[in-house]
């Protein structure tokens, strides 16, 4: 037996193809079924989008064994929320807002400061050892715990910082959510290229969740991709009274539409085959605006047309 085989088998990192195919592995544990799986999850969004409210809402739901995002039933477990940009007073107010009349979840632990680097990993690991029922750890925000690059290039520094969090998640079989920001430059081709920093951040993560505010609305689209998560887009609605996010039933493509496009689509859905003149007369939108809008919606696969001036909703949106 070679040294690689001996050491590898001892550490559980060496497999023959036969061994691999005949081994029964446990199913991954979900903090939020279909959305947040065990492993390292990178949650990204622009400043002031509501990422912290989203994380607090998820933490409360899991710590209570309730419903996440107004739709998804979750299993109860301990939650550690590292709110590293907030004060205790602000967190108290936010928790009161999110809870409303619901009881305070005893399984939710909140810290407002952590050291950087390995010391933070060790402290969180110690907490996880003491809470074997833990299902979620939130680091809000990632930059507060990442160490200095010490002369290394950005990719190496980012990848190493993320890898340390991933090892922590894997060792305890929990979901770790690291909150981060998007860069200012928008990438129309691939939203996942909008993550601020190097590709070392996204390369080490098991899943990436990017929240983007929908145009001209108080809603958002959550773009999700990952190793154990099906690539998907979800529409989210913001409740200004409870400061919570809720999953929408409508397709995410509708969530991201402007009000003009929504109005046009709603009319065409009820009146298939309408012409721009009919749409303008019924909705009050200027005829030239309707003509431009329906052409662009066809280009964006949001409408179908027979080519003779009549428009129909796409099957996926009707």
């Amino acid at each position: 037996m070679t040294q690689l085989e001996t050491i590898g088998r001892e550490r559980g990192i060496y497999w023959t193809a036969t061994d691999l195919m005949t081994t029964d592995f446990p199913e991954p544990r979900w903090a939020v079924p279909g959305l947040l799986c065990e492993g390292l999850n990178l949650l990204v969004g622009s400043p002031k989008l509501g990422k912290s409210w989203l994380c607090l809402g998820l933490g409360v739901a899991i710590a209570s064994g309730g419903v996440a995002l107004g739709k998804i039933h979750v299993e109860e477990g301990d939650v550690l929320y590292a709110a590293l940009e907030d004060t205790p007073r602000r967190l108290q107010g936010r928790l009161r807002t999110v809870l409303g009349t619901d009881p305070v979840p005893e399984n939710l632990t909140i810290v407002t400061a952590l050291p950087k680097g390995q010391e933070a990993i060790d402290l969180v690991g110690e907490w996880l050892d003491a809470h074997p029922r833990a299902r979620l750890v939130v680091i809000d925000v990632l930059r507060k715990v990442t160490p200095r690059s010490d002369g290394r290039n950005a990719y190496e520094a980012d990848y190493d910082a993320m890898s340390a969090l991933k090892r922590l998640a894997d060792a305890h079989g929990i979901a770790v959510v690291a909150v981060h920001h998007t860069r200012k430059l928008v990438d129309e081709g691939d939203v996942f290229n909008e993550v601020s920093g190097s590709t070392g951040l996204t390369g080490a993560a098991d899943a990436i969740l990017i929240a983007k505010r929908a145009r001209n609305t108080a809603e958002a689209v959550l773009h999700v991709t990952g190793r154990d998560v099906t690539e998907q887009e979800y529409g989210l609605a913001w409740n200004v009274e409870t400061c919570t996010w809720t999953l929408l039933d409508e397709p995410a493509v509708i969530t991201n539409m402007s009000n003009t496009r929504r109005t046009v689509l709603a009319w065409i859905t009820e009146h298939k085959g309408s012409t721009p003149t009919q749409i303008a007369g019924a909705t009050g939108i200027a005829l030239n605006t309707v003509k431009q809008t329906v052409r662009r919606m066809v280009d964006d696969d949001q409408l179908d047309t027979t080519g003779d001036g009549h428009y129909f909703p796409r099957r996926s949106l009707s």
Side-chain angles (χ1 to χ4, degrees), residues 17-45:
T18 301
D19 290 339
L20 193 62
M21 296 304 295
T22 56
T23 299
D24 290 326
F25 295 100
E27 291 296 317
R29 298 173 69 208
W30 291 87
V32 180
L35 189 65
L36 279 182
C37 190
E38 69 174 71
L40 177 57
N41 301 264
L42 185 64
L43 173 62
V44 186

Side-chain angles (χ1 to χ4, degrees), residues 69-88:
L69 298 173
K71 295 287 179 67
I72 307 174
H73 291 273
V74 294
E75 185 176 337
E76 181 182 341
D78 291 305
V79 176
L80 176 62
Y81 179 32
L84 307 180
E85 291 187 320
D86 288 311
T87 63

Side-chain angles (χ1 to χ4, degrees), residues 5-236:
E5 184 176 0
T6 301
I7 297 176
R9 287 186 181 279
E10 290 176 353
R11 298 180 180 178
I13 60 174
Y14 182 98
W15 304 83
T16 66
T18 301
D19 290 339
L20 193 62
M21 296 304 295
T22 56
T23 299
D24 290 326
F25 295 100
E27 291 296 317
R29 298 173 69 208
W30 291 87
V32 180
L35 189 65
L36 279 182
C37 190
E38 69 174 71
L40 177 57
N41 301 264
L42 185 64
L43 173 62
V44 186
S46 60
K48 312 305 180 185
L49 173 72
K51 301 185 297 297
S52 295
W53 287 106
L54 174 60
C55 290
L56 183 59
L58 293 175
V60 167
I62 294 170
S64 305
V67 179
L69 298 173
K71 295 287 179 67
I72 307 174
H73 291 273
V74 294
E75 185 176 337
E76 181 182 341
D78 291 305
V79 176
L80 176 62
Y81 179 32
L84 307 180
E85 291 187 320
D86 288 311
T87 63
R89 178 190 58 78
R90 185 182 301 127
L91 286 165
Q92 183 187 68
R94 289 191 172 194
L95 193 55
R96 280 175 175 163
T97 300
V98 170
L99 287 173
T101 58
D102 293 337
V104 178
E106 296 183 0
N107 297 326
L108 176 61
T109 299
I110 299 173
V111 296
T112 57
L114 281 175
K116 290 180 177 290
Q118 188 58 45
E119 190 175 355
I121 300 298
D122 292 341
L123 286 176
V124 175
E126 183 182 11
W127 183 88
L128 288 169
D129 288 337
H131 296 80
R133 295 179 62 255
R135 304 194 69 83
L136 177 68
V137 170
V138 177
I139 306 296
D140 184 9
V141 294
L142 176 65
R143 188 66 189 91
K144 287 286 188 177
V145 299
T146 52
R148 295 178 181 273
S149 61
D150 296 328
R152 295 173 296 166
N153 65 46
Y155 177 89
E156 290 178 348
D158 287 343
Y159 192 89
D160 288 349
M162 293 291 284
S163 295
L165 286 171
K166 174 173 167 51
R167 287 192 295 271
L168 186 69
D170 292 344
H172 293 272
I174 62 154
V176 172
V177 174
V179 182
H180 191 52
H181 299 308
T182 53
R183 56 189 177 91
K184 293 182 179 179
L185 185 62
V186 175
D187 191 317
E188 297 294 346
D190 188 349
V191 67
F192 296 102
N193 289 333
E194 296 180 23
V195 180
S196 178
S198 77
T199 54
L201 293 175
T202 54
D206 291 299
I208 307 164
L209 302 88
I210 297 186
K212 294 193 68 174
R213 182 78 68 179
R215 292 187 294 269
N216 303 318
T217 74
E219 297 169 349
V221 176
L222 185 64
H223 306 261
V224 181
T225 189
R227 299 185 177 112
D228 294 308
V229 183
T230 302
E231 186 165 336
Q232 188 62 270
E233 294 179 356
Y234 300 92
L236 298 176

